[in-house]
Amino acid sequence: MSQLQFEPLHNLLGARVTGIDLSTELGDEDVSAIHNAMDEYSLLCFPEQEMTDEAQLAFTRRLGEPEPNHVTFGATGKIDYFATIGNVIDAENKKGSDDAHTRYQTGNNLWHSDSSFRLVPTRYSINHAYEVPGEGVITEFASQRIAYARLPAATKETIEPLHVLHDYVFSRSQTAPVDPNHAASLPPIEHRLVRTNPANGCKNYYVGSHARSIIGFSGIESRKLIDDLVDQATRSEAVYGHQWQAGDTLIWDNRCLLHRGLGYDADRWRRLMRQTRVSGDGPTLGE
Ligand SMILES: [Fe+2]
């Protein structure tokens, strides 16, 4: 068993974890220590990891069922467990700010929870950073668990039974066109607004940029409530901004966190991260 050491990254969420090599085959004790830490901190950063795609997929499988990338699957029908984040083409070439793939990725600059538009949404996202821009690039994280706990009791009661439509085309078409096959593969999905972590019983609300409307609410009422919940979760003092270093492997819990990228100058810098995801246990309506 590894000698895991945890050091909080922020007073509300996140921990830096040392004493483990994620590229080796992990024992059951290490896997359950990581799950327990995720339930507590919601985000873990493992610095200075010697990662490869093969090791990342093996690590992903140790934590649960890998989730096929919806962009590749929706557009081509092929299963690929990786997404590439950034603008690197090969050792010499990169895509600039005007490239369609770069523009498409700016959708990640809105507060969101990965794959909240899927019937079975993502449990964990796992990002490994291979190349990072020289002036630092930041991903921000905020906890909807902390924000839920701070709601008045009457608001908790009001939102408890509500259901929300999450719609990928609604959110992504704000920043870039969506491939028609991809759009057709992702009809709007209904989720609970309030979710409960099955391991520790902690509740959180579950919104973000893919949350389109509340079932039974008018458009105006829907947007007011959803936007208000996002604003409450993402007040500056509640946000942890992670400045990426090459070699960082980050895992975050999409069941309760929101995140967004702050962008970078793709004309100037190279950026390369590989992402895998661990699928959730089932539809949120069955939780
Ligand atoms: Fe994301």
Side-chain angles (χ1 to χ4, degrees), residues 115-169:
S115 287
S116 76
F117 46 82
R118 294 178 86 139
L119 183 63
V120 178
T122 304
R123 179 175 180 171
Y124 302 150
S125 293
I126 304 171
N127 270 25
H128 182 78
Y130 288 92
E131 292 188 59
V132 299
E135 60 193 6
V137 63
I138 290 175
T139 304
E140 292 188 324
F141 296 88
S143 172
Q144 297 169 101
R145 180 190 296 173
I146 302 289
Y148 175 86
R150 289 178 172 172
L151 291 176
T155 308
K156 287 181 183 166
E157 208 172 306
T158 305
I159 69 170
E160 180 70 31
L162 298 179
H163 290 180
V164 184
L165 270 191
H166 289 243
D167 181 351
Y168 181 81
V169 177

Side-chain angles (χ1 to χ4, degrees), residues 53 89 95 145 162 167 174 196 198 209 229:
D53 275 359
I89 298 170
K95 296 165 182 165
R145 180 190 296 173
L162 298 179
D167 181 351
Q174 294 174 39
T196 305
S209 66
L229 291 173

Side-chain angles (χ1 to χ4, degrees), residues 22-25 52-64 82:
L22 299 180
S23 69
T24 59
E25 203 174 317
T52 61
D53 275 359
E54 193 184 6
Q56 185 169 344
L57 187 55
F59 175 52
T60 305
R61 288 188 196 282
R62 286 296 279 138
L63 295 181
F82 284 88

Side-chain angles (χ1 to χ4, degrees), residues 12-281:
L12 297 178
L13 72 136
R16 183 176 190 270
V17 191
T18 51
I20 187 167
D21 178 353
L22 299 180
S23 69
T24 59
E25 203 174 317
L26 300 184
D28 291 344
E29 293 93 343
D30 286 338
V31 171
S32 70
I34 290 170
H35 280 305
N36 291 341
M38 285 297 287
D39 286 331
E40 182 177 351
Y41 293 106
S42 305
L43 176 150
L44 299 176
C45 173
F46 302 82
E48 297 174 4
Q49 294 293 318
E50 294 282 337
M51 193 56 82
T52 61
D53 275 359
E54 193 184 6
Q56 185 169 344
L57 187 55
F59 175 52
T60 305
R61 288 188 196 282
R62 286 296 279 138
L63 295 181
E65 189 64 36
E67 179 184 291
N69 178 302
H70 66 89
V71 182
T72 304
F73 185 75
T76 68
K78 292 185 181 134
I79 288 185
D80 181 359
Y81 293 116
F82 284 88
T84 301
I85 296 164
N87 60 344
V88 166
I89 298 170
D90 57 32
E92 270 96 47
N93 300 294
K94 65 176 177 60
K95 296 165 182 165
S97 303
D98 290 337
D99 180 85
H101 186 248
T102 309
R103 281 209 318 278
Y104 168 78
Q105 291 189 47
T106 61
N108 294 320
N109 300 350
L110 304 171
W111 286 108
H112 66 284
S113 169
D114 286 337
S115 287
S116 76
F117 46 82
R118 294 178 86 139
L119 183 63
V120 178
T122 304
R123 179 175 180 171
Y124 302 150
S125 293
I126 304 171
N127 270 25
H128 182 78
Y130 288 92
E131 292 188 59
V132 299
E135 60 193 6
V137 63
I138 290 175
T139 304
E140 292 188 324
F141 296 88
S143 172
Q144 297 169 101
R145 180 190 296 173
I146 302 289
Y148 175 86
R150 289 178 172 172
L151 291 176
T155 308
K156 287 181 183 166
E157 208 172 306
T158 305
I159 69 170
E160 180 70 31
L162 298 179
H163 290 180
V164 184
L165 270 191
H166 289 243
D167 181 351
Y168 181 81
V169 177
F170 162 77
S171 55
R172 280 303 165 126
S173 53
Q174 294 174 39
T175 52
V178 179
D179 172 272
N181 291 339
H182 187 197
S185 73
L186 294 170
I189 293 294
E190 192 173 327
H191 288 305
R192 283 185 192 285
L193 176 53
V194 178
R195 302 184 66 181
T196 305
N197 179 309
N200 59 21
C202 290
K203 287 189 173 188
N204 62 268
Y205 57 74
Y206 184 62
V207 285
S209 66
H210 307 304
R212 187 181 89 179
S213 51
I214 311 275
I215 307 290
F217 278 31
S218 71
I220 291 168
E221 291 170 327
S222 286
R223 292 317 315 167
K224 183 171 184 324
L225 178 55
I226 293 167
D227 292 347
D228 189 42
L229 291 173
V230 172
D231 288 348
Q232 288 190 53
T234 59
R235 288 170 306 145
S236 58
E237 67 273 19
V239 170
Y240 166 65
H242 184 74
Q243 181 150 347
W244 291 91
Q245 306 291 328
D248 283 351
T249 302
L250 242 69
I251 316 177
W252 65 89
D253 189 343
N254 287 287
R255 297 171 301 178
C256 63
L257 291 191
L258 291 172
H259 63 283
R260 69 174 179 180
L262 292 191
Y264 66 105
D265 184 351
D267 292 329
R268 182 167 180 206
W269 302 108
R270 289 167 61 88
R271 186 186 195 198
L272 176 61
M273 297 207 291
R274 293 283 276 166
Q275 182 181 87
T276 49
R277 295 177 179 179
V278 176
S279 194
D281 292 336

